[in-house]
Amino acid sequence: MKQIIFFIALFILSSFSISLRAQSVALPKESIIGFTSNWKGERFPDGRPKVPDNILERMKDVSLENAWSVVRGAGYNNQFAGEWQTIHPDQVMVGRALTAQYMPKRPDVEDKLKATGQKEGRIGGTNSWPIDMLSTGDVYVADAYGKIADGTLIGDNLGNSIYAKSKNGVVFDGAVRDLEGLAKIEGFNAFVRGFHPSFIAEMMLTGVNLPIRVGLVTVVPGDIVLAKKGGILFVPAHLAETVVQTSEVITLRDEFGHMRLKEGKYTPGQIDTRWSKEIEADFAKWLDANPGKLKMTRAEMDNLLKTRTW
């Protein structure tokens, strides 16, 4: 049954079926579940994976490089997008993706989507509809096909609403306006292609919570957004915990290795290669003496070390 649902969803997206969009602005829950079937945990009512809050918090300390190595090692080679402009370059943003797709305006398509939205009780401009669906911990991610002039999806009014609902920010393959006002929203951040004083014009919303393209990345609803100064990595939900745990183990081993090098106990050649049983035992004793440094169980760490590719 799941395979049938998946292929139905794939056909819908590849053919851009207006008949289905006439039934709902957002992708059906069953289709989202089909696209994210590798996720086995809790889900939102809309079907998106609900990666736990503690994983999101720990993800903030993960480097792009460590996350990239895990994601790519799992066969996901197209999850990084760079060359962003951001309001607060040094402010890390992590959250669950709620996606939206925009296209150049075509009146007959836009009229059908607006009629559908009215039947569903949606209010305001279509660029506010995804915002109404945000939950705490979400990041509003939009494919606005790189449009900057007349491609400003939000200003500071909608920015305040986004932060009030999500306690987070946005990733737009497009633009925003009211930069000064947005910068005053404490905790909010935006990764965009540009800033422009114009209003949104000649573009239309074509769907919410569907797989979208951001740069060279396919973003699926519920992906974890890891946005830092160096760029954005979109982590598939089912890999989020592995990314966090692997990064934490690497960080601890680096801390231990640097300490022992400074002490002169081991040589760089011993630390920079696969550790000997002696060094592994020394590391284990160091962890025993510093239990607060490990944020997972020892069994989880031991399992990661057994299966590691780094």
Side-chain angles (χ1 to χ4, degrees), residues 19-30:
S19 62
L20 177 66
R21 298 294 169 75
Q23 298 173 27
S24 177
V25 170
L27 198 67
K29 176 180 179 179
E30 293 78 10

Side-chain angles (χ1 to χ4, degrees), residues 9-295:
L10 186 62
F11 171 77
I12 289 167
L13 292 176
S14 63
S15 62
F16 185 55
S17 171
I18 303 304
S19 62
L20 177 66
R21 298 294 169 75
Q23 298 173 27
S24 177
V25 170
L27 198 67
K29 176 180 179 179
E30 293 78 10
S31 296
I32 295 175
I33 293 174
F35 277 108
T36 59
S37 59
N38 286 336
W39 170 255
K40 305 303 180 184
E42 185 180 358
R43 292 181 180 270
F44 285 99
D46 60 20
R48 287 183 302 141
K50 189 176 183 181
V51 173
D53 291 339
N54 74 309
I55 295 298
L56 299 185
E57 190 61 31
R58 289 158 65 185
M59 184 74 76
K60 293 178 182 178
D61 294 324
V62 175
S63 71
L64 290 171
E65 289 74 17
N66 284 346
W68 170 254
S69 67
V70 175
V71 170
R72 190 164 191 181
Y76 294 79
N77 300 319
N78 304 295
Q79 299 304 121
F80 177 78
E83 300 182 359
W84 298 95
Q85 294 190 44
T86 183
I87 297 175
H88 303 293
D90 295 318
Q91 180 177 308
V92 179
M93 185 169 69
V94 172
R96 311 174 189 93
L98 184 143
T99 63
Q101 183 184 63
Y102 292 83
M103 291 187 178
K105 181 176 179 178
R106 175 172 166 143
D108 54 350
V109 175
E110 184 178 46
D111 289 346
K112 289 179 181 178
L113 190 91
K114 284 183 175 180
T116 299
Q118 289 177 353
K119 290 178 182 178
E120 294 177 349
R122 300 179 189 271
I123 59 176
T126 57
N127 62 318
S128 71
W129 294 356
I131 298 171
D132 294 335
M133 299 170 62
L134 291 169
S135 300
T136 301
D138 286 345
V139 174
Y140 175 17
V141 182
D143 171 10
Y145 54 95
K147 187 176 182 181
I148 296 178
D150 299 330
T152 52
L153 299 184
I154 65 166
D156 55 2
N157 286 336
L158 293 183
N160 274 284
S161 179
I162 289 168
Y163 187 74
K165 291 177 177 295
S166 69
K167 299 299 183 287
N168 237 327
V170 302
V171 174
F172 291 163
D173 194 358
V176 298
R177 65 191 309 271
D178 298 325
L179 173 57
E180 292 181 9
L182 290 172
K184 294 177 182 178
I185 305 173
E186 187 175 352
F188 178 87
N189 206 358
F191 287 73
V192 297
R193 296 308 185 188
F195 303 99
H196 203 276
S198 60
F199 290 97
I200 184 172
E202 292 302 314
M203 60 192 306
M204 62 182 183
L205 178 73
T206 53
V208 180
N209 265 348
L210 67 162
I212 60 173
R213 192 187 80 171
V214 174
L216 297 178
V217 180
T218 297
V219 183
V220 173
D223 278 355
I224 301 306
V225 178
L226 175 59
K228 294 193 166 191
K229 183 188 296 185
I232 303 175
L233 197 73
F234 296 92
V235 180
H238 66 281
L239 293 178
E241 186 171 14
T242 301
V243 165
V244 167
Q245 291 181 340
T246 300
S247 178
E248 289 171 351
V249 171
I250 291 173
T251 299
L252 281 177
R253 290 170 74 85
D254 284 346
E255 181 182 346
F256 169 81
H258 296 163
M259 179 184 68
R260 290 294 189 249
L261 286 170
K262 290 177 181 177
E263 295 170 349
K265 185 170 183 177
Y266 303 120
T267 68
Q270 289 175 301
I271 292 296
D272 282 345
T273 57
R274 180 78 66 159
W275 289 357
S276 66
K277 291 182 179 180
E278 176 192 2
I279 298 177
E280 291 288 1
D282 190 15
F283 176 61
K285 292 176 68 173
W286 178 74
L287 282 180
D288 289 338
N290 299 275
K293 289 182 177 292
L294 191 62
K295 298 179 182 179

